[in-house]
Amino acid sequence: MRPSFSILFFTVMSGAGYGLWMIVGVALAMFWPETSSGEFLTLLRWPGFHIYGLAAGFLLVSSGLLSSLWHLGRPARAWRAFSQWRSSWLSREGVTAIFTFAPALGIAVVVAHDAWIMRTIGDEPVVGGTLWFTATTLAILGTLLAIGSVLTVFCTGNIYACLKPVRAWHNRYVVAGYLLLGIYSGGLLAWALCTLPHGHMRGTRWLLAGVVAAALAGALLKHFYWRFIDRERESTTGVATGLGHLGTVRSFEQPHTEENYLTHEMGFRIARKHSRKLRRIVVVAGFLLPAALALLAVFVPGSWRVGAWIALVTGMTGLFVERWLFFAEARHTVMLYYGAR
Amino acid sequence: MTSLPTAGPRKLGLVIDLDTCVGCHACAVACKEWNDGGAFGPLPDADPYGAEPMGVWFNRVHGYEVQGSGIGDSRLGKAEPRAARSNPESPIPNPANAMSVHFPRSCLHCETPACVTVCPTGASYKRAEDGIVLVDEDKCIGCQLCAWACPYGARELSAKRGVMQKCTLCVDRIYNETLDEADRQPACVMACPTRARHFGDLGDSDSAVSRLVAERGGYALMPELGYAPVNRYLPPRPRRDGTTAAKATVTESIDTAQMSPLLRWVDRVLSR
């Protein structure tokens, strides 16, 4: 399958954005049990980790979604895609993506409102106006943000996993991969945001441990996925045409002399030649190096800041290569009619 | 609605005879011509007279070489044959047991078409009344997910129009009361010079097409994928077993002892 840049950018970037929102959402929801409005006020100041995360997630998710419109033949009609959520995973993805903006904007509105009130009060210890923040609103909005993000990435994965003609996509590794890599890249981003001024977040050790665990899980998952697609059961032109019982079927004349939409879109072959090397790049740059840097940051606190950004760059590079391979290595059944084997 | 309707009794479709198809592409051309001006047109090509012309055709005619020991067996539809005797990698078919099959490929109007259910906009739909799968080109956003979902390559994106286009089973001909009743057939069926294409109701076991399918062992493409195609293909009839062809290529031996001295001399000279 031809990897189109708009889809690569969309799935990697919005995957990372939703992963970040999952972490921000959970982090916000975790304030809930320990109600202390004073703590909220310090933690939810601009700038701060949660606000960074909310904003960075918003940028990534929106630019990813906008980029996906480039893929459409008629982008102006994109709003129609919200209608068929009963049957279509793509439609469900659209609905959940829009739904997820609601809690994100909700949090932003509350923060903006309270920041405005705080400003009018100045440094007075007494709060004059009514702050909208309560432990409950935080918990509800954070939970909704995390749930919406998980659901959206789940739908993205299922768009591919439901396509029977592409065996490399129609399997149980795909949805798990999208979710895991989304959370993982969100974790890398969260780590980088923590290094910004006032970006401190509680439980950074847990974040680093999560990054290491997700990286190792990601590497393992991709290993098993690649083993699965390499064992691809050979189908033939004989099976596709139903002529196999007569002998070996071979295409000797194409229906057209030039490329057509199908051969252009589904006959993409360039990747397979370099797939071994590219897979190694994914594992090393995408997973092992960031995991090593995260471990280093736990034991050598001095490397925490530099490590975060190196891990983010190599990790995201690895994920782009991973997503490129995800498309480029996938074969479509229709190519059997064109003599593919 | 892209959810599938409850299936009605009528299943309109095509039956394509691979025995008589000669690969002339008349069906593809007639289809392109009708649909360019029909209710679902136009079908514009990008760069039509340039170096890389590209455009949507609802019908594509493939040419296959079938090489194997099963051809002469006259037991079609039985178990898988042994592997071809000749080297399958060889570019030259062994004429003794090879044949060519021309294979028109178009939408099969499946009973459970994934191209319809994956559509996010409701542009793709399957008609309850006759099972025809259509695209509403005013709603299509050109996301191409339906093309990915179709294993038969029935859908193509029109680069010029930005929407997906596919075989309509000439829905604007078959119910068209301004045409003579004999002409209310898909354009491809009308155009076929060898009558290799038949149109009818495959949901009715008494229809001409259903009887043809029963008589000739018509089959569906890749039923194992679960899309339940409506169209059927009639397999090539068995060829002669290849022994006559084999005889023609046997090197003849000459008993020179029976020839006159002159002919023996000529044979010796020519054999050098």
Side-chain angles (χ1 to χ4, degrees):
Chain A
M1 306 293 290
R2 176 171 295 270
S4 87
F5 180 74
S6 65
I7 300 275
L8 286 193
F9 187 86
F10 162 60
T11 57
V12 176
M13 288 310 201
S14 70
Y18 284 119
L20 185 57
W21 274 1
M22 288 174 212
I23 293 167
V24 171
V26 169
L28 282 174
M30 287 202 321
F31 282 128
W32 184 47
E34 352 175 342
T35 317
S36 146
S37 49
E39 199 177 16
F40 291 149
L41 298 183
T42 50
L43 278 164
L44 292 159
R45 252 189 350 218
W46 169 261
F49 169 78
H50 300 90
I51 305 303
Y52 286 146
L54 212 57
F58 181 81
L59 273 181
L60 289 167
V61 164
S62 328
S63 61
L65 288 172
L66 284 177
S67 146
S68 74
L69 298 185
W70 280 105
H71 179 68
L72 302 181
R74 295 286 194 123
R77 296 178 181 170
W79 59 273
R80 289 188 181 275
F82 301 119
S83 64
Q84 301 303 312
W85 48 271
R86 285 183 195 83
S87 73
S88 163
W89 282 107
L90 179 52
S91 187
R92 287 171 197 160
E93 183 199 39
V95 171
T96 53
I98 294 301
F99 163 81
T100 310
F101 277 114
L105 290 180
I107 296 168
V109 165
V110 173
V111 167
H113 170 263
D114 290 0
W116 181 72
I117 286 194
M118 300 288 281
R119 199 186 55 198
T120 54
I121 303 164
D123 289 337
E124 289 292 311
V126 184
V127 176
T130 317
L131 289 175
W132 285 359
F133 258 125
T134 68
T136 327
T137 34
L138 261 180
I140 291 174
L141 290 175
T143 310
L144 285 178
L145 185 68
I147 291 177
S149 303
V150 170
L151 284 180
T152 309
V153 179
F154 179 75
C155 292
T156 310
N158 270 303
I159 291 173
Y160 300 98
C162 79
L163 297 173
K164 273 194 256 178
V166 186
R167 184 174 174 270
W169 295 351
H170 184 62
N171 59 68
R172 61 212 156 98
Y173 298 103
V174 169
V175 177
Y178 269 86
L179 279 169
L180 182 60
L181 299 191
I183 296 171
Y184 169 60
S185 49
L188 289 177
L189 266 166
W191 178 18
L193 294 177
C194 285
T195 67
L196 291 177
H198 308 289
H200 182 68
M201 156 198 186
R202 287 188 311 173
T204 39
R205 273 181 173 246
W206 287 108
L207 178 67
L208 288 177
V211 165
V212 174
L216 297 181
L220 270 180
L221 185 89
K222 289 312 288 186
H223 170 76
F224 286 117
Y225 168 77
W226 286 322
R227 223 174 55 168
F228 170 79
I229 64 169
D230 287 345
R231 276 197 314 245
E232 194 158 356
R233 196 165 45 85
E234 289 272 311
S235 199
T236 60
T237 309
V239 171
T241 56
L243 295 168
H245 64 282
L246 296 175
T248 312
V249 180
R250 204 164 47 172
S251 168
F252 77 84
E253 196 177 35
Q254 303 283 357
H256 35 92
T257 53
E258 304 303 317
E259 233 184 8
N260 76 348
Y261 169 76
L262 298 172
T263 56
H264 180 79
E265 200 67 17
M266 291 149 200
F268 188 81
R269 283 201 195 118
I270 298 167
R272 296 172 203 150
K273 185 177 160 199
H274 298 299
S275 64
R276 301 284 145 186
K277 271 183 199 156
L278 289 172
R279 286 177 185 184
R280 241 170 281 147
I281 291 174
V282 172
V283 170
V284 175
F287 298 116
L288 298 186
L289 197 59
L293 287 167
L295 272 181
L296 193 71
V298 173
F299 296 109
V300 187
S303 73
W304 148 267
R305 201 171 294 272
V306 179
W309 292 92
I310 300 178
L312 181 64
V313 170
T314 67
M316 291 306 281
T317 312
L319 290 192
F320 264 102
V321 177
E322 182 274 332
R323 209 49 51 87
W324 192 82
L325 278 174
F326 176 75
F327 283 89
E329 288 193 302
R331 300 154 194 254
H332 196 283
T333 309
V334 73
M335 292 316 290
L336 293 174
Y337 290 104
Y338 286 89
R341 287 201 273 166
Chain B
M1 275 302 292
T2 56
S3 298
L4 296 177
T6 339
R10 265 158 75 77
K11 297 177 196 168
L12 295 187
L14 297 174
V15 173
I16 297 169
D17 191 342
L18 299 178
D19 191 59
T20 48
C21 174
V22 292
C24 69
H25 294 251
C27 51
V29 174
C31 163
K32 180 92 173 178
E33 196 212 356
W34 172 264
N35 285 294
D36 197 28
F40 290 83
L43 295 175
D45 291 335
D47 195 18
Y49 302 103
E52 287 175 12
M54 199 182 206
V56 175
W57 292 63
F58 297 166
N59 218 337
R60 303 278 189 183
V61 185
H62 292 260
Y64 297 113
E65 168 224 302
V66 183
Q67 170 86 72
S69 55
I71 295 164
D73 259 353
S74 74
R75 285 173 301 190
L76 291 171
K78 291 247 171 126
E80 289 279 314
R82 286 167 286 133
R85 264 180 246 133
S86 59
N87 175 11
E89 295 304 320
S90 155
I92 305 160
N94 174 2
N97 61 356
M99 68 172 166
S100 57
V101 176
H102 302 286
F103 188 94
R105 179 174 57 78
S106 59
C107 176
L108 308 172
H109 298 282
C110 299
E111 289 180 58
T112 48
C115 61
V116 170
T117 50
V118 300
C119 175
T121 65
S124 281
Y125 60 105
K126 183 169 175 70
R127 285 157 54 109
E129 62 269 38
D130 52 18
I132 298 179
V133 176
L134 291 175
V135 179
D136 180 342
E137 291 166 11
D138 293 331
K139 284 187 186 161
C140 177
I141 59 174
C143 72
Q144 305 159 52
L145 194 56
C146 55
W148 289 0
C150 174
Y152 308 106
R155 288 163 170 258
E156 299 182 17
L157 176 77
S158 171
K160 284 286 221 187
R161 299 183 60 195
V163 295
M164 302 306 294
Q165 295 190 288
K166 66 174 289 300
C167 164
T168 64
L169 210 61
C170 283
V171 69
D172 50 351
R173 283 186 69 94
I174 58 178
Y175 297 115
N176 191 337
E177 291 180 2
T178 61
L179 297 176
D180 282 348
E181 204 164 335
D183 288 341
R184 291 179 206 160
Q185 304 244 357
C188 57
V189 174
M190 298 291 294
C192 182
T194 61
R195 296 204 195 149
R197 303 178 74 99
H198 307 267
F199 163 72
D201 181 7
L202 286 146
D204 170 9
S205 56
D206 263 351
S207 68
V209 280
S210 295
R211 285 201 304 271
L212 193 60
V213 168
E215 186 187 314
R216 293 277 307 280
Y219 63 94
L221 297 184
M222 294 191 279
E224 65 275 14
L225 290 177
Y227 292 80
V230 168
N231 284 13
R232 290 289 183 269
Y233 284 80
L234 306 180
R237 290 192 176 88
R239 298 296 193 258
R240 273 175 284 182
D241 63 3
T243 48
T244 37
K247 262 182 217 153
T249 56
V250 167
T251 10
E252 292 173 29
S253 58
I254 307 169
D255 185 4
T256 48
Q258 290 183 7
M259 299 195 290
S260 69
L262 177 66
L263 285 177
R264 248 197 320 266
W265 177 77
V266 171
D267 178 53
R268 248 198 335 271
V269 169
L270 292 178
S271 301
R272 264 178 211 160

